[in-house]
Amino acid sequence: MFNFEKLETWQKAIAFADHVYAVTRNFPADERFGLTNQMRRAAVSISSNIAEGTARNSKNDYARFLEIAAGSLFEVVSQSFVSVRQGFLSKMDFDKLYAAAEEQGKMLSGLRRSVLENA
């Protein structure tokens, strides 16, 4: 087992990506290379950056990768707003995704703070 697999923040990021894949599955076919692809890539980037950060030699590098993960999370949130406005994402699915993003954001922030405090 890799050390990042033990992190609840990483585990939640994987679940968040699953959620994004599920809600984008119903997007129009002509969005496959648009919002669908962008949202999925950003969602996957969250867990990827958490994992990559754990392999870094310095706590500051690790914290930087957690910042990048947070940026990817914010991308998904922004793209979700566009998806609702375009009628691709229901208000109910948006609300669930938004709540999950808020939780993920708090976890990322807490992990980053912990990493920097223990630097």
Side-chain angles (χ1 to χ4, degrees):
M1 176 179 268
F2 293 97
N3 58 348
F4 65 83
E5 293 176 88
K6 299 173 189 170
L7 294 171
E8 184 180 1
T9 308
W10 178 83
Q11 294 167 7
K12 290 280 188 174
I14 293 293
F16 184 77
D18 288 342
H19 190 153
V20 169
Y21 267 78
V23 299
T24 58
R25 205 166 275 126
N26 295 322
F27 281 20
D30 64 344
E31 279 299 320
R32 183 178 34 216
F33 301 109
L35 277 173
T36 303
N37 186 43
Q38 285 185 303
M39 288 179 73
R40 288 176 174 187
R41 288 172 56 101
V44 170
S45 176
I46 300 165
S47 61
S48 298
N49 278 291
I50 295 167
E52 188 171 353
T54 63
R56 296 299 163 162
N57 291 328
S58 81
K59 298 292 184 177
N60 286 335
D61 280 348
Y62 185 9
R64 178 69 184 126
F65 276 89
L66 295 174
E67 286 176 10
I68 294 167
S72 294
L73 176 67
F74 294 171
E75 279 185 61
V76 175
V77 171
S78 181
Q79 293 157 356
S80 297
F81 275 99
V82 173
S83 298
V84 168
R85 293 173 65 109
Q86 293 300 311
F88 305 152
L89 189 62
S90 72
K91 176 74 167 113
M92 185 176 75
D93 283 338
F94 172 84
D95 290 343
K96 289 179 185 176
L97 195 62
Y98 194 90
E102 283 183 312
E103 179 184 16
Q104 185 73 56
K106 289 175 185 173
M107 293 179 82
L108 282 167
S109 179
L111 180 57
R112 184 176 180 279
R113 189 172 36 257
S114 174
V115 164
L116 290 173
E117 286 172 359
N118 295 314

